Amino acid sequence: MASIIPLAGAGYTYARGAFGPVAGWFVGMYEILEWTIDLAGVIDAAGETVCNALDMDRKYSPIFAVLAVLLVMWVCHVGGPFFWKTCMVSAIIACLLLAFFFICGLTNASYSNNFAANFPYVEQTSTEVARKVFRLLPLSVWWLIGIEAVPFCSEEAKNEKEVPRDVPRSLLRGVGTLCCITFVLMMIAAGMDWSSVGGLCGVKQPLVEGIRIALGYDNYAASRFINWIVVIGVFASLPPIAYSGGRALFALSRAGYLPNWLSLSHPKYKTPYCAETTILCASTVLMILLNVVKFGDLNAYEEFVNLDRKSV
C-alpha cells in the first residue's frame, strides 16, 4: 500500500483511503497508542541498560531514560540524512554484537547436553498451551515495529517515482533479515548451557548473559564493554520508533483529527517536531508512571504487555 499511497501515516492512511474517515480514525488512534506504549518500553530499557553499564542502582534509570529521550528528540528534529545515518551506524553496531554472540554461542554450544535442559518436556493440556501462546503474542508487535517505519518514510522520498520499487524491496529485505537473525539466535541459544543463570527461560537479557557465559563472569572489562554495546543497540530502536509515532500524529493532525499545532514543521529542518516532541514526552511520562506503579515484584510495564516470562 505504501507504494500506491506514499503518504505519512502508513496504516491510518491506507484505512482511511479504503474504508473512510471513521475507520481511519480508529486505526490512527490504535497506531498512536501502539507507538506510545512501545516507545515507553524502549525508553525504560534504555535507562536500565545505562544503569547496568555504569553499575548503578536501577532507581536512577528514569534519569538516564529522560537524557536518552532528549538526545533522540534532537536527532529526530534534525532529521534528513543525519537521522538515517545515525540509525544506520547504531544498527550496524547492534548487528556486530549479534554476530559476536553467534560466535560465542557456536564455540560453547552442545545440543546433545543442553537442548533437553533448556526445553524440558512438560505435559500440558491444549488449553494451557493456547493460553501461553496467546500471552506471547504481544512479542510479535516488536516485529511490526521493526518494519513499519519503512511505509512511514515513503512520503519523504527524494524521488517519488522510485517509491513503488524501493518500498516493497525494503519491506521484504527487512522481514527476511529479522527472520534469519531470529532463527539463528534461537538455534544458538538452545544449545548453550544456561544452568549458571537459572536456565534459559529465566534469563531477562539472554544476549548479554550468553556472551558473559562464553567469556566468563570474571572478565570484568569484557562485561562492561558488552553493556555499552547493548546501550547502543537499544538506542538504535529509539529514533525509528519516535520517527514513526511522530509521523502518525502528524498525519492525523494534518487530516483534522487532532489539533493543528501537531502538524507544524520545524522552520529549518522541515520535520514534524511538535508531533515527535509530543509522543516522546507522552511515552516518557507513561514510562515513569508505570515504573512507580508496582504489582508485587513485577514491573507494571512488563505486566501491561504480558512480557513476564514466569507467567508463561
Side-chain angles (χ1 to χ4, degrees), residues 150-162:
V150 175
F152 273 100
C153 66
S154 59
E155 183 176 344
E156 300 174 51
K158 288 185 177 180
N159 191 345
E160 294 183 1
K161 295 181 180 179
E162 296 179 356

Side-chain angles (χ1 to χ4, degrees), residues 38-274:
D38 295 335
L39 188 56
V42 180
I43 292 171
D44 184 43
E48 186 175 353
T49 52
V50 173
C51 284
N52 292 337
L54 296 174
D55 287 334
M56 298 179 67
D57 191 276
R58 195 186 184 281
K59 66 181 180 181
Y60 298 106
S61 65
I63 298 175
F64 293 110
V66 171
L67 293 176
V69 167
L70 293 176
L71 178 60
V72 171
M73 193 179 297
W74 173 70
V75 172
C76 290
H77 287 181
V78 173
F82 174 76
F83 173 85
W84 293 113
K85 288 178 181 178
T86 303
C87 294
M88 183 65 69
V89 171
S90 56
I92 289 173
I93 294 174
C95 288
L96 290 175
L97 177 63
L98 283 172
F100 186 58
F101 172 80
F102 295 160
I103 295 172
C104 293
L106 288 173
T107 57
N108 292 270
S110 176
Y111 292 93
S112 59
N113 298 326
N114 300 326
F115 190 85
N118 290 331
F119 301 98
Y121 174 75
V122 179
E123 188 172 348
Q124 302 177 82
T125 64
S126 58
T127 303
E128 291 175 328
V129 174
R131 178 183 64 84
K132 292 182 178 182
V133 171
F134 180 76
R135 289 182 68 85
L136 285 170
L137 286 178
L139 292 172
S140 62
V141 173
W142 297 102
W143 278 56
L144 176 64
I145 291 173
I147 298 300
E148 199 173 6
V150 175
F152 273 100
C153 66
S154 59
E155 183 176 344
E156 300 174 51
K158 288 185 177 180
N159 191 345
E160 294 183 1
K161 295 181 180 179
E162 296 179 356
V163 170
R165 181 196 64 186
D166 292 343
V167 170
R169 285 183 180 179
S170 301
L171 290 172
L172 290 174
R173 290 171 181 173
V175 172
T177 302
L178 280 175
C179 290
C180 292
I181 291 177
T182 303
F183 179 78
V184 175
L185 185 64
M186 290 176 59
M187 291 299 100
I188 292 178
M192 296 182 66
D193 182 10
W194 301 89
S195 58
S196 59
V197 290
L200 177 58
C201 294
V203 179
K204 190 174 183 180
Q205 293 182 327
L207 187 66
V208 177
E209 294 297 336
I211 296 176
R212 286 176 177 171
I213 291 172
L215 298 179
Y217 280 88
D218 56 340
N219 195 334
Y220 181 75
S223 179
R224 291 292 298 274
F225 175 74
I226 292 167
N227 280 331
W228 281 111
I229 296 297
V230 172
V231 170
I232 298 174
V234 173
F235 178 79
S237 303
L238 275 171
I241 298 176
Y243 175 95
S244 301
R247 266 55 180 184
L249 274 177
F250 169 81
L252 286 166
S253 173
R254 185 172 60 179
Y257 292 108
L258 296 176
N260 292 332
W261 59 269
L262 286 171
S263 58
L264 294 178
S265 298
H266 195 281
K268 179 179 179 181
Y269 301 115
K270 308 303 179 183
T271 53
Y273 72 106
C274 289

